[in-house]
Amino acid sequence: QSALTQPASVSGSPGQSITISCTGSTSDIGYWNYVSWYQQHPGKAPKLIIYDVSRRPSGVSNRFSGSKSGNTASLTISGLQAEDEADYYCSSSTGSSSLVFGSGTKVTVL
Amino acid sequence: QVHLQESGPGLVKPSETLSLTCTVSGDSIRGYFWSWIRQPAGKGLEWVGHIYFDGSTTYSPSLKSRATLSVDTSQNQFSLNLRSVTAADTAVYYCTRAAVGATYLDYWGLGSPVTVTS
């Protein structure tokens, strides 16, 4: 199973909105509504911020939102803040009860 | 609050077996899937595999021939053994809890760096 495709980097100014795409196939994102997103600050463990395409765990800011269309999932960060600067990874279930991660996107707050 | 803590050697020789254990506190290991994720320095996340509390397992196709996951419900622990390691297995290894259905990872350990070197 190949990694899901994400842009290497996305940047935005404070207060702006940015969107990170995550492209898979009909075997993963296109078939299953089990897309999740993780935020990872340097030297830290990843943190779950979106699951089941668009659901937020308790305690995660509502500035983070997720969606899916066809084989592509998206994470939108609205009202960008300095603390949002981090790496972001998408993940999807696959048809074989496995997980596959995206290649990762570095978000820079200008 | 669920806490996961990885433990194991930080250095492993090539061709030997990498062994890591994850100790779970704050909740029972029963009723959940438990996964291992690894991340080479400067690179992305890679799913290694997961194990259900009853011992059933699913592995990444790329690691299936070398990886073995096990669980000890009496100790609230689960483990990873990775055989015949090479430098390409050098990474930070995270243990995680996977939600029902193993569709997302809601709790993560801090990570255990492992270097394969002679």
Side-chain angles (χ1 to χ4, degrees), chain A residues 3-66:
Chain A
L4 307 174
T5 301
Q6 298 180 233
S9 62
V10 173
S11 61
S13 300
Q16 287 187 329
S17 293
I18 61 170
T19 297
I20 302 169
S21 61
C22 171
T23 302
S25 68
T26 54
S27 298
D28 38 63
I29 293 176
Y31 189 85
W32 303 96
N33 286 322
Y34 294 133
V35 177
S36 53
W37 290 88
Y38 304 86
Q39 176 192 61
Q40 185 180 34
H41 287 108
K44 301 294 187 182
K47 171 190 172 184
L48 176 70
I49 56 173
I50 294 287
Y51 67 99
D52 292 355
V53 177
S54 60
R55 303 184 70 172
R56 275 188 312 274
S58 175
V60 172
S61 171
N62 60 8
R63 297 185 299 103
F64 294 95
S65 61

Side-chain angles (χ1 to χ4, degrees), chain A residues 77-100:
Chain A
I77 309 175
S78 58
L80 198 62
Q81 298 180 2
E83 66 204 50
D84 299 330
E85 188 160 292
D87 294 326
Y88 291 82
Y89 294 91
C90 60
S91 177
S92 175
S93 290
T94 72
S96 53
S97 188
S98 303
L99 288 176
V100 61

